[in-house]
Amino acid sequence: MKQTNDITGKNKNIKTESSNGNLNKRITELENVRALRELVDNFSILADKKDVQKQILLFTEDATVESYMNGELTSSLKGIKEIGEAFEGFLANFGAVYHINGQHVVSINGKEAEGTLYCRVDLISSENGKKINNTSGVSYKDEYIYENGQWLIAKRTSNFVWNDRHELSQ
């Protein structure tokens, strides 16, 4: 066992190969962490491409998506049909969409996992011949389920923490 400090300065025990004979278990966990990161990154890439039909395939059939702004619930969606229709209608308002994913921390418990993702979202629209950039800082609290050989989003809670709106120079 090797000791190191985490970002809070607290000692954290790190298991090394010699102290943990179950290398396959550790590899499986790393593969799951990577698969979950790819899931949230693919969600963002498909949103940027406005490919909602592929994006909804990243959710369970009965998934829920809730969005909050300034602590108030602004939308609550259930099921991939409702989610897909809402996403399509929302994304149609913008000429360009751009997600930049940051930190992603997950906790895996068998075939269920929870995660937090921080993201910057830029939504470019046109108003009176001018390009407007709506930038938001968003934190996503996700619940994931492993089914049919893949991780899917079962619940996503979007919290729009801050927003900046300004005209783009052309």
Side-chain angles (χ1 to χ4, degrees):
M1 189 97 46
K2 189 168 44 169
Q3 273 198 331
T4 185
N5 290 332
D6 68 10
I7 60 172
T8 64
K10 295 178 184 171
N11 285 333
K12 183 176 182 180
N13 292 326
I14 305 287
K15 292 180 182 174
T16 62
E17 188 174 340
S18 61
S19 67
N20 184 354
N22 197 345
L23 185 59
N24 286 338
K25 182 179 178 184
R26 291 173 42 217
I27 289 171
T28 299
E29 180 162 354
L30 289 172
E31 289 172 337
N32 283 321
V33 168
R34 178 68 186 149
L36 288 165
R37 178 60 194 226
E38 286 182 12
L39 174 64
V40 297
D41 285 348
N42 285 331
F43 173 91
S44 293
I45 290 167
L46 291 169
D48 294 347
K49 293 179 176 181
K50 300 182 184 183
D51 193 343
V52 174
Q53 295 311 307
K54 286 184 182 173
Q55 193 180 37
I56 61 171
L57 298 176
L58 304 177
F59 289 91
T60 60
E61 285 287 326
D62 62 346
T64 60
V65 175
E66 294 180 343
S67 297
Y68 290 83
M69 266 189 160
N70 301 321
E72 288 189 33
L73 181 66
T74 57
S75 100
S76 183
L77 309 168
K78 182 154 178 65
I80 58 173
K81 184 177 187 298
E82 188 175 346
I83 291 168
E85 289 170 356
F87 284 9
E88 226 163 68
F90 179 73
L91 293 173
N93 294 310
F94 306 101
V97 178
Y98 197 77
H99 289 71
I100 303 170
N101 289 341
Q103 303 91 315
H104 184 230
V105 178
V106 297
S107 174
I108 301 168
N109 186 12
K111 294 186 179 240
E112 296 180 355
E114 294 180 345
T116 301
L117 172 71
Y118 283 80
C119 183
R120 175 182 163 153
V121 181
D122 287 280
L123 305 169
I124 313 300
S125 60
S126 292
E127 294 178 19
N128 301 318
K130 298 176 182 175
K131 289 191 183 219
I132 306 296
N133 184 8
N134 292 285
T135 303
S136 296
V138 185
S139 67
Y140 297 106
K141 301 280 188 197
D142 292 334
E143 295 177 16
Y144 312 106
I145 300 288
Y146 190 81
E147 63 181 41
N148 300 321
Q150 65 180 344
W151 285 102
L152 298 171
I153 301 168
K155 181 178 182 181
R156 171 160 272 197
T157 303
S158 308
N159 184 17
F160 290 78
V161 179
W162 58 265
N163 188 300
D164 179 42
R165 187 175 191 280
H166 64 273
E167 183 180 340
L168 291 175
S169 58
Q170 310 236 3

